[in-house]
Amino acid sequence: MDQTTSKVKNMYEQYPYPSGDPTIRAGFDIRLLLSYVAKKRGTDRPLQVLDAGCGRGPGVLGAASLQPNVMFTAIDINSVGLAEARANAQARGLTNINFVQADLMTLEGVEVPPGGFDVIYSSGVLHHLADPQMGLNNLTSILAPHGVISLMLYGSYGRQALYRLIEGIDILSSNEDAIESRLPLARALTEVADTSIFKGNYWQGTYRNPDVEFVDTCLNVNEISYDITSLWQFIDNAGMKFIRWTDPDAWSVDKRFKDPQLLARLKELSLTEQYRVIERLFEMPKLEFIICKADNYAAPVVTIDEIESSQFAVNPEASFSVEKRNLDHSQRIEGVSFKVRNRKSQTVTDPTLAQVMLLLTEQTTCFTGGEMINVLGQNGADKNSAIGVIYELLEKEIIFIP
């Protein structure tokens, strides 16, 4: 184990991260992640997923509990966090997670399934490695040809206020000193930052975080961050291809800008240039995205001719709200709204779309486009209108093609 990895390991074993109960994170559903790319699996064996850097396991425990037919391998260098994660899995009766202590710089000890992992998930890990590029290259080498990697890396522009604080902490207290001796002064300085450089932004309240969270954020022994330019190079160097952001709305000029003249000018730029503008104007402390191998590509939009025969499913990251009023011997639907991931809830005003939403709230299995067209036809929609509704549901990410 190299010196940097050893320091990182010691830090996380002293302050095992992250804290908290099992959680449902963005991108938890494996079918949804695989739907983003064109190449499909050629086998019906159980899906194999690697959580590369699981820590104390809140993410993998949440994902495994909702997908009992998916097999998870969860690795970390942190023996303390792994022991807690393993105990939590056993307490919850989860038998579809295999916990392994392993170093992403070598992957020694990781048993790779035949053909590679279908999905690799790594959130907030690669940027702490001695060589993040080697880490990503290693993950690429054990990914199945049809597979995807879901990554979260630190964003340089969105962390500028934090880095100013860290520089201040390092002036007060050498980063070579023991973490426990640095904590009191670091917390005190961070509390001051709450009324200055942290006021009103993503970092406000950091000084209140538990020690494991605070150390990870403010006293980490090794990390690097990326802007769009360096991120693109990082992906390319690994022989990988960018597919999409986990939350595309956050990186959309159409969603971010309202002035028509400004928006028109922005849309003359390449997507890369649009992203570079967004990272400079908005707080993006985390870069969360999906990549695949260079010879794969984003799944094409389903054509009109394919709609009827295509299989659809409700997006597991979509949630629905139905407002009802109870009357005398009857019930009236007052409103229907939906939410995808962390986006704002949207109220449905179109009657046909609202009718479909009501049906989707109860849908737990796949269905064909033809079946949806028939149902809409029974509610008065012609075929063209029904197809339009399907495309709208796809565009809003309420349904997807597994």
Side-chain angles (χ1 to χ4, degrees):
M1 183 178 293
D2 63 80
Q3 185 176 2
T4 298
T5 302
S6 181
K7 287 173 64 177
V8 171
K9 177 179 183 291
N10 291 338
M11 180 196 73
Y12 280 122
E13 289 188 337
Q14 185 179 2
Y15 298 94
Y17 176 90
S19 59
D21 296 324
T23 185
I24 307 305
R25 59 195 176 189
F28 79 90
D29 191 86
I30 304 310
R31 293 183 310 154
L32 181 63
L33 289 174
L34 290 172
S35 77
Y36 295 147
V37 292
K39 284 190 177 181
K40 301 304 176 187
R41 300 173 74 230
T43 176
D44 58 358
R45 65 168 172 76
L47 286 160
Q48 296 281 346
V49 178
L50 176 68
D51 191 325
C54 66
R56 292 161 73 178
V60 71
L61 290 169
S65 65
L66 295 180
Q67 300 166 102
N69 295 325
V70 176
M71 302 305 299
F72 290 85
T73 299
I75 66 174
D76 207 288
I77 57 170
N78 174 4
S79 61
V80 176
L82 278 174
E84 183 177 330
R86 188 178 291 112
N88 281 338
Q90 290 173 350
R92 289 169 169 79
L94 297 174
T95 59
N96 57 331
I97 315 176
N98 180 33
F99 293 97
V100 179
Q101 186 170 11
D103 181 357
L104 290 181
M105 292 292 292
T106 65
L107 292 183
E108 186 176 342
V110 177
E111 186 175 339
V112 182
F117 287 99
D118 298 292
V119 170
I120 297 175
Y121 188 94
S122 187
S123 179
V125 179
L126 293 183
H127 47 238
H128 294 307
L129 299 185
D131 185 346
Q133 189 67 66
M134 181 180 292
L136 181 58
N137 293 352
N138 287 343
L139 295 181
T140 298
S141 70
I142 59 173
L143 181 70
H146 62 269
V148 299
I149 300 180
S150 175
L151 285 180
M152 186 279 277
L153 300 172
Y154 290 160
S156 300
Y157 285 97
R159 302 177 75 82
Q160 287 182 343
L162 175 65
Y163 289 154
R164 289 170 62 186
L165 167 74
I166 291 172
E167 288 176 8
I169 293 173
D170 289 345
I171 292 170
L172 276 176
S173 168
S174 170
N175 58 18
E176 296 299 321
D177 293 342
I179 291 175
E180 59 267 28
S181 69
R182 305 184 72 203
L183 260 171
L185 276 177
R187 282 195 179 278
L189 199 64
T190 306
E191 186 171 0
V192 174
D194 233 43
T195 61
S196 58
I197 56 174
F198 285 4
K199 188 174 183 178
N201 67 20
Y202 178 88
W203 307 105
Q204 189 156 23
T206 296
Y207 76 95
R208 299 191 190 95
N209 288 348
D211 282 354
V212 294
E213 311 287 342
F214 185 86
V215 168
D216 177 72
T217 302
C218 300
L219 296 174
N220 209 296
V221 297
N222 187 65
E223 72 176 56
I224 187 174
S225 59
Y226 296 84
D227 60 14
I228 292 299
T229 301
S230 59
L231 177 62
W232 263 214
Q233 190 63 56
F234 182 61
I235 295 169
D236 189 60
N237 286 347
M240 299 292 281
K241 179 185 295 181
F242 178 86
I243 291 296
R244 57 169 279 157
W245 299 106
T246 300
D247 185 1
D249 279 8
W251 292 91
S252 166
V253 294
D254 288 299
K255 303 291 184 181
R256 289 290 199 178
F257 301 94
K258 302 305 178 187
D259 179 85
Q261 188 173 3
L262 175 60
L263 184 57
R265 176 67 186 94
L266 285 165
K267 295 182 81 166
E268 291 175 1
L269 304 175
S270 67
L271 281 176
T272 297
E273 290 171 322
Q274 291 176 26
Y275 298 153
R276 292 180 66 208
V277 172
I278 287 172
E279 72 175 346
R280 285 161 172 79
L281 266 69
F282 300 94
E283 269 195 313
M284 309 294 279
K286 299 177 180 180
L287 308 178
E288 299 179 90
F289 55 95
I290 313 298
I291 57 177
C292 67
K293 292 196 171 182
D295 60 352
N296 203 348
Y297 53 94
V301 177
V302 62
T303 66
I304 291 178
D305 291 338
E306 296 168 333
I307 284 280
E308 291 190 66
S309 60
S310 293
Q311 291 276 333
F312 297 91
V314 178
N315 184 349
E317 296 190 336
S319 58
F320 305 93
S321 295
V322 180
E323 185 180 353
K324 298 179 180 179
R325 185 185 300 275
N326 289 341
L327 305 171
D328 185 21
H329 294 87
S330 65
Q331 197 175 61
R332 172 186 168 89
I333 303 296
E334 299 270 310
V336 180
S337 59
F338 70 95
K339 180 180 179 181
V340 178
R341 289 183 289 274
N342 295 321
R343 300 173 189 170
K344 291 182 179 179
S345 180
Q346 297 184 47
T347 300
V348 181
T349 56
D350 179 82
T352 304
L353 189 58
Q355 184 66 35
V356 173
M357 292 283 190
L358 286 172
L359 296 172
L360 294 180
T361 61
E362 305 295 331
Q363 191 69 39
T364 59
T365 59
C366 290
F367 51 91
T368 67
E371 289 170 336
M372 186 179 291
I373 290 170
N374 288 337
V375 169
L376 287 169
Q378 293 168 15
N379 287 274
D382 60 43
K383 185 174 181 178
N384 288 337
S385 298
I387 290 173
V389 168
I390 293 173
Y391 275 118
E392 185 172 359
L393 292 169
L394 286 169
E395 191 273 332
K396 293 181 183 295
E397 294 193 279
I398 297 166
I399 62 174
F400 73 105
I401 300 176

